[in-house]
């Protein structure tokens, strides 16, 4: 994903000319992504919600989603979803479309 043209920390920037179909890039003070707290975590269904400030995003993952553990240690999808992470802080890189965050990378904080 390319960096947004005029990113404001903690907001989604819709001015990136590489975006299409109403998608927005996620930006934060730690690069491309949103930081927040997980809620509604369901490891069996691989579903969760990211709460960032006053907004909640349904998080979608795919087989291509990269998981990174604490201190940049690689993690697997099974390790991530195998532990209840409700209330845990993390950063997610990806795209927001209509309140859904499609995760390219999930980093535990």
């Amino acid at each position: 994903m390319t960096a947004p043209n005029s990113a404001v920390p903690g907001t989604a920037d819709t001015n990136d000319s590489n975006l299409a179909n109403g998608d927005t890039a996620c930006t934060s003070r730690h690069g491309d992504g949103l930081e927040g707290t997980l809620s509604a975590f369901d490891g069996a269904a691989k579903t969760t919600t990211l709460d960032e400030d006053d907004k909640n995003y349904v998080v979608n993952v795919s087989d291509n989603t990269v998981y990174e553990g604490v201190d940049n240690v690689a993690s697997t999808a099974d390790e991530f979803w195998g532990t209840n992470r409700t209330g845990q802080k993390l950063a997610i890189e990806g795209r927001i479309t209509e309140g859904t965050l499609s995760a390219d990378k999930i980093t535990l904080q």
Side-chain angles (χ1 to χ4, degrees), residues 1 60 62 64-67 92-95 102-106:
M1 174 172 26
N60 283 342
S62 71
N64 296 322
T65 300
V66 174
Y67 298 87
I92 299 178
E93 295 178 23
R95 293 160 310 287
S102 297
D104 295 325
K105 181 178 179 182
I106 297 175

Side-chain angles (χ1 to χ4, degrees), residues 10 17 19 24-25 36 38 44 46 50 53-54 61 67 69 75 87 105:
S17 60
L19 301 175
T24 59
L38 291 183
K46 294 186 179 178
L50 179 72
D53 296 327
D54 293 331
V61 296
Y67 298 87
S75 183
K105 181 178 179 182

Side-chain angles (χ1 to χ4, degrees), residues 39-49 58-61 81:
S39 64
F41 186 90
D42 184 340
K46 294 186 179 178
T47 60
T48 191
T49 301
V58 173
V59 177
N60 283 342
V61 296
W81 294 105

Side-chain angles (χ1 to χ4, degrees), residues 13-80:
D13 184 304
T14 59
N15 295 325
D16 191 331
S17 60
N18 294 318
L19 301 175
N21 303 322
D23 289 350
T24 59
C26 307
T27 62
S28 78
R29 60 192 166 275
H30 292 285
D32 295 339
L34 294 176
E35 291 183 358
T37 305
L38 291 183
S39 64
F41 186 90
D42 184 340
K46 294 186 179 178
T47 60
T48 191
T49 301
L50 179 72
D51 302 333
E52 188 213 28
D53 296 327
D54 293 331
K55 294 183 181 179
N56 301 319
Y57 301 92
V58 173
V59 177
N60 283 342
V61 296
S62 71
D63 291 340
N64 296 322
T65 300
V66 174
Y67 298 87
E68 195 167 275
V70 178
D71 296 327
N72 298 322
V73 175
S75 183
T76 66
D78 289 339
E79 289 171 346
F80 179 83

